[in-house]
Amino acid sequence: MDFPVCPSCRQSVIDDDAEDCPFCGASMMAKPGAKPAPAAVKASTPASKPVSAKPVAAKSVGITPTLPGDDLPFESELTTGKAAIQALPSPTKQRKLQVVCPMCDTPGYLPPTAAGQMVRCANAKCVMPIFTAPSDKKDEAPPPPPPPPPRSSKIPLILAITAAAIVLFGIGLYVALAPSGTKAKKEMSDEDKKMVLESFGSNKKGAPTATVTSPEAAADSTSKANGKNGKSSKKVGGDNADAEATSAKDHGEILKLALKQLRDSSLANDKQRSKAFCRQMAAEANAIAGNVVDARDHLSQLATVGQEVSYYRIIPLLELNRVELAAGDKKGATKTLNLAMAEVPRIPKFGRTRLEIAGHLAASLAVADRIPEALTMLTSFQSKDSEAQLAARMQMANDGRIAALTDSASVLPWKSPQTSAATASLVFRGQSQAAVAWAAALPDDDARVEALAIWAQETARKNSPVGSADIDGTIAAAVEPLAAPLAARVWARAGCGRFLAKDPVGTAKAIELAKGKLASIAVPAELVMPTVPTTIRFKLPTPDTLYRAATAAAEIAFIEAQSSGSKADAETSLDMALSFIRATAPTFAAASNRLEDSERRGSGGLRKFLKEELKLKDDDEERRAAIDYKRVLNDIVEAARLKFEFETQILSRLRGAGVGLNSKVWIVVSTRSFADDINQRDNFFATGLPGELVEAMPGTDEERAILGAWRRWSKDPAPPRPPLIVFNKLLQADIPGAVSFVQTIDTKLNRREEILLRTASNLPATGRLSIAFQFISKLDDLVIREECYRFAASIAAQRGETEQVWKQVGLVQQQTEKAALCRGLVGGAQSTEKPANDFPDPVFRP
């Protein structure tokens, strides 16, 4: 629509009935070009600031001059925008001052010298980007213009102090007169705190502080009021956790308080690392709790404050997608899933988070029967490295059920971690048919069997009748198309499921089926290094079948090792696994020795050596022979290296499985490490196995034998202690020392993060929540603290320890920590399962 135009200044006027132009004061009925009247100054202009009738000169082209005192904020932005200092979205050494835009809540960073000056919002799409940066200095009063203005009244300040005094007096009177049978509250209620803070001004000098106990005190008083037993306390300002809830017993009330805290943390500016993270946690928690309207509200706000991290919306949207599917709203679920997929291009290219998001998305797409789309999406995220392995295990521990972080879902690392994690999400959320369809659609045999193994374990654990390995032939039908070693692996995992269900008969039947499949594969003899004349024509065997058979045998040994009654069978299955793998390549010792010999000879010496060995006649034959010989040697060395790593992984994993195969593993390590025949020698003393065995068998003859063998092999008196063992020992006696030790661990293989997350989950899972919170609170990295808090809170809440978690919410300082704890609390409390029954972590057993 067209607005009236001032005939004098040509500005559009919104008010259709305006008699005078609000910009220049001219009559709207005057002829074009008429001068504005000097008397057009608004009557609301303060008397203490007399103004001249002469307009102020404009500083920006195209902006009509205005009179001082006009309330024109948009014009003020335009006239000062060019002089505003641009805020950047990320801090630098020169830009450490954080400011938050009052319009869109976007954080930005400025030089410290910009305090108190006009700045431009870091969000380029902000509708009102210009604002004044907060200043630590008190605003200086402007020089009084003539005539001098009257002195400002102190009445408001006096009234505020009086009101605060009345409030404090009333609270003190209430405490003093409280009935003898009622315990006086140690802290003010939220309403009282808010009133006092508003009277004094929050976060200003003189504002009262809320008293909370230290983390150590709270951990030791899980069934008592905070501050008892003489524990030290400290004061922190601005803690908006509900004080009354520290003694609340009602489970539902604590969940309500946690959701309220999530909203409060999302709005708070103090001690705030990321409002976007708080909004994500709040959206997830509300979706899990079924509060769809609140979840969408948080997502809407996340779109505003988290434009640079909009992929934070994906996981909350997937939670909403599940809620809508459960309610039968397929149309709404499809729309929500599409919104999540729209954020995929914005997922970072690096980091573990991207891999977890990809696994969650793949599961949701599989449920929606969009498996080809899921597989295409995963091509950009699939990985086999340690980061991908940890991401998959984290997803399995948190999605659909709550469980401590463990590596028991597979004896060996997955070849397709994210497809395996997606399968786990499906089966843990009751989408068994979707999991089978997902596994069948996977194009790779190894990925398919990994997915089916996860599905079979959960299906057998939950659904197989007592004394049976299967349920109505479901597992048998799924493994029918598989090759024998792959089918054997699936049946072995079904046996794990029946073991977790405490069904020894069903476990034995599953193992019998697995061994029956594996019996169809002949165990070949160990491969030895070819002679020099035959090396050029040597062909390595195709390793796939042998590797798969070895993996299946190792899985069988793993489940057999869970019971002392089948320990001898486990040792036999371990020997079978090693036999299969030893047939894939010569020993690494023999292969590397031959390669070193060829390199010592040099190019000319090698050609002369091959000429004599192969009876060659001319230089061309010598040259071709040398090239082929080195090529074949390099292939053999690489195959031998992979074989040795595979052997080491199997021995290390089965060493601590179940009742343990330490004695058997030591026999293998000692026999192979000191074998006279280099074709049967594996240098296991160059691995971490000796240190693991020493820690596992203290005070035994085996320990003394290992130490004696080590002194013959090395100048050191004992092998290096495994980092995880050292850490756990420190954790039991010296938490600060354990934290310091973690900082020294190499991060290249994500070992530090893995240890921290295993600690954060295993301690609560074994009833040591107080130790977990003490440990987490001492970590230097805020981001990993948040992740650990969320994980620990989930497990504790699932175990019914919501009150203890809520106390910790009141003790932490950062808003993102509060949000992480509340998100974990809601997720664990809303879990549909009892605490997950899984194979315990031998390192973190109490």
Side-chain angles (χ1 to χ4, degrees):
M1 62 176 294
D2 296 330
F3 296 108
V5 178
C6 173
S8 177
C9 65
R10 310 305 300 169
Q11 292 284 347
S12 296
V13 180
I14 298 176
D15 188 358
D16 292 334
D17 300 326
E19 295 181 359
D20 296 326
C21 175
F23 298 99
C24 68
S27 172
M28 292 294 292
M29 305 304 294
K31 294 180 179 180
K35 299 277 186 181
V41 180
K42 295 186 182 298
S44 61
T45 302
S48 61
K49 295 183 179 181
V51 296
S52 169
K54 183 177 179 180
V56 178
K59 294 183 179 180
S60 299
V61 177
I63 303 300
T64 304
T66 62
L67 297 176
D70 284 352
D71 187 15
L72 300 175
F74 292 100
E75 181 185 42
S76 175
E77 265 189 21
L78 292 170
T79 58
T80 59
K82 291 186 177 180
I85 302 172
Q86 177 66 54
L88 297 182
S90 302
T92 65
K93 291 183 178 180
Q94 291 77 26
R95 292 174 174 261
K96 298 182 179 179
L97 175 63
Q98 186 186 45
V99 294
V100 179
C101 176
M103 171 55 66
C104 66
D105 286 337
T106 299
Y109 296 89
L110 300 164
T113 55
Q117 300 186 42
M118 299 297 293
V119 299
R120 183 181 295 277
C121 177
N123 177 11
K125 298 181 180 180
C126 183
V127 296
M128 290 184 65
I130 308 300
F131 60 94
T132 302
S135 175
D136 292 335
K137 299 180 180 180
K138 294 182 179 179
D139 296 331
E140 297 180 1
R151 297 177 62 184
S152 59
S153 173
K154 294 185 177 180
I155 292 177
L157 178 60
I158 294 173
L159 290 176
I161 296 174
T162 302
I166 292 172
V167 171
L168 292 173
F169 176 79
I171 295 170
L173 187 62
Y174 171 78
V175 173
L177 299 179
S180 58
T182 304
K183 291 185 179 180
K185 296 175 183 176
K186 294 183 177 293
E187 297 184 27
M188 292 183 289
S189 67
D190 263 2
E191 292 77 8
D192 293 337
K193 286 184 197 175
K194 186 174 181 181
M195 183 181 298
V196 176
L197 289 174
E198 287 177 349
S199 298
F200 283 91
S202 61
N203 299 318
K204 293 183 180 179
K205 188 176 181 181
T209 55
T211 302
V212 296
T213 53
S214 64
E216 291 82 358
D220 294 333
S221 59
T222 54
S223 62
K224 301 177 183 180
N226 281 357
K228 271 196 169 187
N229 297 329
K231 295 290 181 180
S232 62
S233 64
K234 57 184 178 180
K235 293 186 177 184
V236 293
D239 186 358
N240 53 5
D242 193 330
E244 293 184 4
T246 56
S247 60
K249 301 296 183 182
D250 183 70
H251 178 79
E253 184 65 21
I254 289 180
L255 293 184
K256 292 179 182 178
L257 292 169
L259 293 173
K260 178 181 180 297
Q261 177 63 60
L262 281 164
R263 180 171 292 278
D264 291 344
S265 292
S266 299
L267 295 171
N269 292 321
D270 292 338
K271 299 177 182 178
Q272 178 65 274
R273 179 185 72 82
S274 170
K275 284 191 175 183
F277 175 82
C278 291
R279 289 290 185 184
Q280 179 191 2
M281 296 294 99
E284 287 183 28
N286 276 278
I288 292 171
N291 303 328
V292 175
V293 174
D294 289 338
R296 293 198 180 279
D297 177 57
H298 285 294
L299 280 171
S300 176
Q301 295 300 323
L302 176 56
T304 300
V305 300
Q307 292 182 349
E308 300 299 323
V309 288
S310 61
Y311 62 91
Y312 280 13
R313 291 164 45 86
I314 294 179
I315 300 300
L317 285 169
L318 295 182
E319 293 290 353
L320 280 175
N321 168 262
R322 294 183 182 112
V323 172
E324 290 164 337
L325 284 175
D329 183 9
K330 293 185 178 180
K331 184 177 180 180
T334 300
K335 182 179 179 181
T336 301
L337 181 56
N338 289 338
L339 288 174
M341 287 299 296
E343 298 291 345
V344 170
R346 301 175 181 86
I347 298 175
K349 302 300 180 185
F350 305 97
R352 176 163 49 85
T353 300
R354 82 189 196 282
L355 300 170
E356 291 186 40
I357 292 175
H360 286 289
L361 270 172
S364 294
L365 288 168
V367 172
D369 199 22
R370 294 162 63 174
I371 292 178
E373 189 177 352
L375 294 175
T376 301
M377 182 270 301
L378 275 182
T379 56
S380 301
F381 298 97
Q382 190 72 272
S383 175
K384 299 179 183 179
D385 60 16
S386 58
E387 184 177 63
Q389 302 290 334
L390 180 56
R393 285 158 52 203
M394 282 294 291
Q395 182 176 340
M396 291 181 183
N398 282 292
D399 197 11
R401 64 166 194 171
I402 308 296
L405 186 63
T406 176
D407 54 9
S408 64
S410 177
V411 170
L412 295 164
W414 291 291
K415 292 188 176 181
S416 300
Q418 275 55 65
T419 56
S420 298
T423 308
S425 292
L426 291 169
V427 296
F428 294 157
R429 291 184 178 274
Q431 301 284 349
S432 181
Q433 291 184 347
V436 174
W438 166 252
L442 297 176
D444 180 76
D445 285 342
D446 292 308
R448 189 179 307 117
V449 73
E450 287 172 351
L452 285 175
I454 293 171
W455 165 80
Q457 176 173 320
E458 192 67 6
T459 298
R461 181 176 75 90
K462 283 185 175 181
N463 303 320
S464 294
V466 176
S468 175
D470 203 351
I471 172 172
D472 299 329
T474 303
I475 299 176
V479 302
E480 182 63 29
L482 298 178
L486 301 180
R489 182 175 178 181
V490 175
W491 280 119
R493 275 291 145 180
C496 290
R498 292 316 301 158
F499 176 83
L500 293 173
K502 304 185 185 308
D503 178 13
V505 176
T507 303
K509 288 187 177 181
I511 293 174
E512 183 181 357
L513 288 168
K515 286 186 171 182
K517 291 288 185 181
L518 207 54
S520 63
I521 306 172
V523 181
E526 182 171 359
L527 197 63
V528 299
M529 195 68 192
T531 62
V532 172
T534 61
T535 297
I536 294 178
R537 298 185 301 276
F538 180 77
K539 298 291 184 182
L540 285 163
T542 302
D544 290 348
T545 299
L546 294 172
Y547 267 103
R548 291 165 181 168
T551 302
E555 291 282 6
I556 294 171
F558 173 80
I559 184 57
E560 289 176 328
Q562 303 305 315
S563 170
S564 58
S566 55
K567 182 178 178 179
D569 294 331
E571 293 178 353
T572 301
S573 296
L574 173 58
D575 283 334
M576 181 181 293
L578 295 174
S579 296
F580 278 122
I581 195 60
R582 287 170 185 163
T584 62
T587 64
F588 184 70
S592 58
N593 184 68
R594 180 75 64 82
L595 182 61
E596 290 170 2
D597 176 73
S598 67
E599 290 176 345
R600 279 196 305 268
R601 295 178 184 276
S603 178
L606 179 61
R607 288 167 60 182
K608 183 178 179 181
F609 172 71
L610 291 175
K611 181 178 181 180
E612 294 175 357
E613 289 288 330
L614 302 178
K615 312 298 182 186
L616 303 177
K617 297 180 180 179
D618 54 48
D619 292 343
D620 287 340
E621 288 184 348
E622 292 177 19
R623 187 165 45 254
R624 287 195 299 271
I627 293 172
D628 291 342
Y629 185 78
K630 289 293 292 290
R631 175 181 54 78
V632 173
L633 270 185
N634 285 328
D635 290 343
I636 293 174
V637 169
E638 178 62 16
R641 182 188 65 80
L642 293 174
K643 184 206 77 164
F644 181 65
E645 290 180 357
F646 194 92
E647 285 180 292
T648 304
Q649 288 175 338
I650 289 178
L651 291 171
S652 179
R653 184 68 184 89
L654 293 181
R655 179 199 60 76
V659 297
L661 299 174
N662 293 307
S663 297
K664 174 63 178 179
V665 171
W666 165 236
I667 292 173
V668 174
V669 168
S670 59
T671 302
R672 301 288 294 190
S673 296
F674 297 100
D676 294 330
D677 186 354
I678 197 171
N679 285 301
Q680 295 182 345
R681 188 185 307 157
D682 289 307
N683 191 9
F684 291 119
F685 270 66
T687 70
L689 280 170
E692 294 176 15
L693 291 168
V694 167
E695 295 293 335
M697 298 185 290
T700 63
D701 291 339
E702 286 95 338
E703 181 200 24
R704 289 186 284 274
I706 297 168
L707 292 175
W710 179 266
R711 295 186 187 104
R712 294 196 306 272
W713 185 82
S714 170
K715 296 179 180 179
D716 296 327
R721 300 184 70 191
L724 195 57
I725 298 293
V726 176
F727 168 77
N728 193 42
K729 298 291 186 183
L730 285 170
L731 191 64
Q732 295 175 10
D734 179 15
I735 292 178
V739 173
S740 298
F741 176 77
V742 169
Q743 307 305 321
T744 67
I745 297 176
D746 185 15
T747 60
K748 290 182 180 179
L749 298 178
N750 295 284
R751 290 292 290 166
R752 184 185 303 173
E753 286 189 15
E754 179 185 352
I755 289 176
L756 294 177
L757 292 167
R758 285 176 75 170
T759 305
S761 64
N762 278 277
L763 288 177
T766 52
R768 294 175 286 175
L769 179 61
S770 62
I771 298 176
F773 282 158
Q774 290 179 50
F775 171 75
I776 298 170
S777 68
K778 289 178 170 55
L779 301 178
D780 292 335
D781 189 329
L782 175 57
V783 175
I784 194 66
R785 277 208 313 270
E786 294 160 1
E787 191 169 18
C788 288
Y789 269 138
R790 175 184 167 182
F791 207 173
S794 296
I795 292 176
Q798 190 186 35
R799 290 167 54 89
E801 299 175 291
T802 53
E803 184 180 354
Q804 293 89 319
V805 176
W806 179 248
K807 288 179 181 179
Q808 189 68 16
V809 175
L811 296 175
V812 298
Q813 301 301 303
Q814 294 291 333
Q815 300 298 337
T816 47
E817 290 179 295
K818 293 178 183 292
L821 279 163
C822 289
R823 163 61 181 86
L825 192 157
V826 173
Q830 295 289 333
S831 176
T832 57
E833 289 194 5
K834 295 179 180 179
N837 181 22
D838 209 339
F839 297 99
D841 190 322
V843 177
F844 288 94
R845 287 173 182 165

